[in-house]
Amino acid sequence: MPYADLHVHTTRSDGSLDLESIPDAARYGGVEVVAVTDHDRLQPFDAPVVERDGVTLVNGIELRVETPHGERVDLLGYGVEQTPELEGIVEQIQRNRIERGRTIVDCVETRLGVDLGVTVDEGFGRPHVARAIEAHPDVEYGYQDAFDELIGYGDPCYVARDVPSFERGLAALSGASRLVSLAHPLRYRDPEAALGLTADPDLEAVELHYPYGRDDVNLDVVKRAVERNDLLVTGGSDAHETELGVEGLSRREYEATAIADS
């Protein structure tokens, strides 16, 4: 059972768990440390690491960036302290998220002939649309169907987001965080190219423990990058629902990250 789940989303982005419920969910999942890593959203914490009801909460963020080889990847910042540069990036992304969300919702409603009844505001993402589609009584699409046929990449209602470059995003995160990690490297179209980014000294870690959802995942390419670039490892459940601790770090691995060190 993991000691630390360092990849958790809340209702501040596209998760279903509200921030105040995390300590209870952590205890239920058997984890003592949770990193709150909402998409492109800063947390209302007053410190990089805080204690809430006996659970350690790490102030985190998951930031999408575009790499020099043209792929979009996610960077995880841990132990975040707000800086003007990171705040500026997040504000720009959130404005674009709202514009993009409204365009997607309008497209889906027109195509299906329904009113989804969703409010598009900060933190809005495609999972909000998919949940509304699944919940609508006059729509036959399920949650995954929405991604597979309506709002996924290349589908009729898909709209790409504007994201910062890898260089700009990493610089902002490294200036605001105690540790920056490459998220779920085996989810990308070209894992080798994504892992090549870890040669940058400001990208000090990679997410090794992640619920990829199949038994035949070969982590050797990730482990080789860890050895080659002397990386720390992070890990977490990437929780968008309420179950925490599906994946994560042992106590030894978490302490090695030094995220909690002042």
Side-chain angles (χ1 to χ4, degrees):
M1 181 176 294
Y3 172 81
D5 186 337
L6 298 187
H7 195 158
V8 171
H9 298 281
T10 75
T11 53
R12 289 178 58 77
S13 62
D14 58 353
S16 58
L17 185 70
D18 61 63
L19 194 57
E20 292 73 21
S21 301
I22 286 181
D24 286 341
R27 281 189 290 271
Y28 188 81
V31 295
E32 297 188 34
V33 180
V34 174
V36 186
T37 56
D38 283 312
H39 296 284
D40 312 312
R41 194 91 193 268
L42 296 168
Q43 297 299 328
F45 295 156
D46 55 7
V49 180
V50 299
E51 297 293 324
R52 294 286 188 274
D53 299 328
V55 175
T56 299
L57 299 185
V58 175
N59 190 345
I61 187 172
E62 185 172 12
L63 187 70
R64 180 153 296 181
V65 297
E66 185 156 359
T67 70
H69 60 275
E71 186 167 16
R72 295 184 172 195
V73 303
D74 295 315
L75 302 178
L76 294 161
Y78 296 114
V80 173
E81 295 185 86
Q82 295 186 23
T83 63
E85 176 63 18
L86 184 57
E87 288 175 350
I89 287 176
V90 168
E91 288 173 3
Q92 182 178 356
I93 289 174
Q94 290 302 328
R95 286 195 298 270
N96 175 252
R97 271 185 173 273
I98 291 172
E99 294 169 0
R100 177 219 197 197
R102 288 172 178 160
T103 302
I104 292 175
V105 170
D106 288 346
C107 177
V108 171
E109 290 181 336
T110 299
R111 192 172 184 87
L112 300 183
V114 298
D115 181 353
L116 293 178
V118 295
T119 301
V120 181
D121 52 16
E122 286 194 353
F124 191 86
R126 286 180 297 160
H128 293 94
V129 182
R131 290 182 188 127
I133 291 171
E134 182 178 44
H136 200 286
D138 298 326
V139 174
E140 296 181 357
Y141 290 94
Y143 181 89
Q144 191 57 50
D145 296 329
F147 277 97
D148 292 342
E149 300 181 41
L150 290 171
I151 61 175
Y153 180 77
D155 290 336
C157 293
Y158 175 80
V159 179
R161 287 200 288 117
D162 292 337
V163 300
S165 68
F166 169 76
E167 293 83 359
R168 184 184 179 208
L170 179 58
L173 283 179
S174 63
S177 311
R178 293 179 174 177
L179 183 70
V180 184
S181 179
L182 174 68
H184 40 61
L186 299 184
R187 285 188 59 184
Y188 305 123
R189 181 180 67 251
D190 188 345
E192 289 276 11
L195 286 163
L197 300 169
T198 60
D200 191 306
D202 286 333
L203 188 50
E204 302 171 279
V206 64
E207 193 168 47
L208 177 64
H209 307 296
Y210 183 84
Y212 285 105
R214 60 184 192 273
D215 296 331
D216 61 344
V217 173
N218 188 344
L219 293 174
D220 287 348
V221 64
V222 185
K223 293 176 180 178
R224 286 196 296 270
V226 169
E227 294 179 3
R228 180 171 63 248
N229 296 318
D230 192 24
L231 301 173
L232 295 166
V233 301
T234 64
S237 59
D238 197 2
H240 286 76
E241 301 300 330
T242 60
E243 184 179 5
L244 307 188
V246 174
E247 286 285 356
L249 299 184
S250 67
R251 182 166 191 157
R252 178 186 58 79
E253 289 172 322
Y254 173 69
E255 290 176 348
T257 66
I259 293 169
D261 293 353
S262 58

